[in-house]
């Protein structure tokens, strides 16, 4: 059994309280998941799928929105913007291998783990709990 921070295991469901900053971070997270589901040849974010699967959250309202062309395009646009940022970070790190990646307020995102090399320092804001 793999133990995560604060004693969670990979099988634990993480609670998201309505009306919190954590809940607002679900919107881009779920968009990345849906984009990967809909356009697997263009985009894959296994971390988004993994995090969504670990959340104790009712995605039904988001599902209603993501079944529209407007939100489908928005999900694709957001996912591609994220990939562009990762390419830029990795390109920068090729010339500055000892640089640090600082992702403040990253929320429900594991981008810094998808960027970098064995030399750079990765610092992420809290994954779920903004008070830790």
């Amino acid at each position: 059994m793999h133990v995560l921070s604060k004693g969670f295991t990979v099988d634990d469901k993480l609670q998201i309280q309505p009306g919190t900053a954590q809940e607002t971070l679900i919107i881009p997270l779920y968009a990345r998941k849906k984009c990967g589901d809909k356009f697997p040849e263009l985009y894959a974010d296994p971390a988004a799928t993994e995090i969504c699967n670990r959340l104790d959250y009712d995605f039904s309202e988001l599902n209603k929105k993501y079944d529209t062309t407007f939100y489908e395009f928005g999900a694709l646009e957001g996912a591609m913007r994220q990939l562009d940022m990762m390419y830029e970070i990795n390109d920068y790190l090729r010339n500055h291998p000892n640089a640090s990646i600082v992702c403040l307020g990253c929320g429900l995102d594991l981008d810094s783990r998808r960027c970098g090399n064995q030399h750079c320092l990765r610092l992420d804001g809290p994954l779920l709990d903004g008070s830790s």
Side-chain angles (χ1 to χ4, degrees):
M1 177 179 298
H2 181 69
V3 177
L4 304 171
S5 63
K6 297 187 181 185
F8 288 112
T9 67
V10 292
D11 297 325
D12 290 330
K13 290 289 187 177
L14 303 172
Q15 297 283 323
I16 300 296
Q17 299 301 318
T20 63
Q22 293 171 350
E23 186 179 37
T24 64
L25 297 171
I26 288 176
I27 296 167
L29 169 74
Y30 196 61
R32 293 191 314 270
K33 179 197 177 305
K34 294 295 277 187
C35 184
D37 292 347
K38 180 89 177 182
F39 305 105
E41 66 283 354
L42 295 176
Y43 183 78
D45 189 342
T49 299
E50 178 185 335
I51 293 170
C52 283
N53 290 341
R54 290 191 50 231
L55 296 178
D56 182 9
Y57 186 79
D58 180 7
F59 290 99
S60 61
E61 288 302 312
L62 288 176
N63 274 329
K64 290 177 192 174
K65 293 178 182 178
Y66 285 111
D67 285 337
T68 67
T69 302
F70 177 75
Y71 278 94
E72 187 176 275
F73 178 77
L76 182 59
E77 180 182 32
M80 293 297 108
R81 183 178 59 232
Q82 180 187 30
L83 281 179
D84 288 344
M85 181 60 100
M86 288 189 299
Y87 289 132
E88 292 295 326
I89 290 169
N90 284 321
D91 187 51
Y92 183 83
L93 288 171
R94 274 192 282 288
N95 296 317
H96 305 87
N98 295 316
S100 298
I101 300 171
V102 179
C103 188
L104 299 176
C106 59
L108 301 171
D109 169 321
L110 298 173
D111 284 347
S112 73
R113 295 180 192 175
R114 295 169 60 181
C115 297
N117 56 45
Q118 67 272 18
H119 305 292
C120 74
L121 174 64
R122 291 182 279 278
L123 303 169
D124 289 326
L127 178 63
L128 287 174
D129 184 359
S131 64
S132 50

